Amino acid sequence: MAFKATILTIFPEIFPGFLGTSLTGKALNEGLWECETVNIRDYAFDKHGSVDDTPCGGGAGMIMRPDVLGNAIEHNYSSGRIIYMSPKGKPLTQAKVRELSRENDLTIICGRFEGIDERVIEEYGIEEISIGDYILTGGEQAAMIMLDAIVRLLPGVLGNSASTENESFEGNLLEYPQYTRPIEWKGRKVPEILMSGHHENVAKWQKEQALQITKERRPDLLEKTLDSE
Ligand code: SAH
């Protein structure tokens, strides 16, 4: 069964956006995944399509109402996990992306304003996911990034499935440096070992490089690797 994302948003026109181009767009056209948008405003209870109100207890901005969002969820949810894109969520990692790529249905809520009423999260057992420690204007951008990462792992999307195996974060390591032709450019040569044709030595060099780069740039990842060994 193909992967289906049902996206609840007040800006449905944003989708599929960049997901409609390149590999993800080709996969969308080929039916390897499906992207359905639901306009939360269509589930408002007044003729203006109001979806937000002022925060209880005061404070800046507006909050998305639980009754309207709940109405949108209940009319469109079929099965699977419900995710709310949120800076308070668990950080999105490649392991999480892999896990989500094995699902058939994902319902994704995109927040706007100052976010959504907490009771919605409790009522529907919603999982919160963050794409990083910074604040965006809306969950749509975050949802698109998460979907891009998920879709490229779906069967048939990348030509060669082996090509995701040595990438950064697989095995908690950053990727080793990569080179292509020309062999010499601006006086800089491709490391000789890569031209040796000796697969074992090449693999050893790449592993060493990956370890070195991870040690320098992301020692936090390396600790995870050593823990799991
Ligand atoms: N007041 C909130 C931020 C609201 S930003 C807070 O301090 O936590 C508006 C919306 O953008 C959020 O509802 C969420 O859906 C989305 N968003 C912002 N930053 C995000 C991030 N890092 N990851 C995922 N979604 C994010």
Side-chain angles (χ1 to χ4, degrees):
M1 200 211 244
F3 173 90
K4 182 178 173 191
T6 303
I7 300 152
L8 277 63
T9 169
I10 59 167
F11 293 112
E13 67 275 14
I14 292 181
F15 294 90
F18 63 71
L19 297 172
T21 62
S22 186
L23 285 170
T24 50
K26 188 165 166 273
L28 192 59
N29 288 334
E30 288 172 352
L32 296 177
W33 71 290
E34 225 181 298
C35 178
E36 186 186 309
T37 51
V38 172
N39 191 342
I40 300 167
R41 288 200 194 281
D42 293 344
Y43 296 89
F45 300 105
D46 62 3
K47 60 176 187 312
H48 310 293
S50 309
V51 296
D52 57 320
D53 211 329
T54 52
C56 294
M62 301 294 273
I63 307 297
M64 292 177 88
R65 291 165 53 137
D67 52 351
V68 176
L69 193 50
N71 195 26
I73 293 169
E74 284 169 22
H75 277 89
N76 294 283
Y77 178 75
S78 51
S79 65
R81 292 150 85 148
I82 308 180
I83 291 169
Y84 167 48
M85 304 314 301
S86 159
K88 289 188 282 190
K90 278 213 191 105
L92 185 67
T93 59
Q94 188 64 16
K96 188 72 177 177
V97 167
R98 246 186 216 288
E99 177 192 316
L100 295 174
S101 73
R102 296 190 186 108
E103 299 286 327
N104 291 324
D105 285 295
L106 284 188
T107 300
I108 304 169
I109 298 168
C110 304
R112 281 275 157 177
F113 317 107
E114 290 308 318
I116 70 176
D117 188 300
E118 193 68 25
R119 290 168 294 177
V120 179
I121 296 170
E122 295 163 8
E123 176 69 18
Y124 303 103
I126 293 173
E127 186 178 343
E128 293 177 78
I129 295 184
S130 166
I131 65 157
D133 293 344
Y134 41 80
I135 307 290
L136 303 167
T137 55
E140 289 79 6
Q141 296 87 324
M144 284 167 74
I145 284 172
M146 183 178 77
L147 284 170
D148 183 273
I150 292 172
V151 169
R152 68 192 286 284
L153 294 184
L154 297 176
V157 174
L158 295 186
N160 171 11
S161 65
S163 62
T164 68
E165 276 166 21
N166 287 322
E167 284 179 321
S168 293
F169 308 117
E170 297 293 343
N172 289 324
L173 287 177
L174 300 178
E175 195 184 56
Y176 46 80
Q178 298 267 42
Y179 303 87
T180 183
R181 268 152 290 277
I183 303 309
E184 189 173 337
W185 174 74
K186 290 188 187 281
R188 295 169 188 276
K189 289 193 179 130
V190 170
E192 233 159 76
I193 184 127
L194 298 179
M195 312 307 296
S196 68
H198 194 299
H199 298 302
E200 241 166 72
N201 287 351
V202 169
K204 192 165 159 260
W205 180 86
Q206 289 173 334
K207 177 84 198 259
E208 281 164 10
Q209 291 287 315
L211 273 168
Q212 186 59 32
I213 289 171
T214 311
K215 203 165 138 192
E216 281 165 23
R217 301 183 189 177
R218 293 291 304 277
D220 56 310
L221 291 178
L222 209 52
E223 275 160 32
K224 273 198 239 168
T225 313
L226 294 175
D227 285 351
S228 61
E229 266 172 9

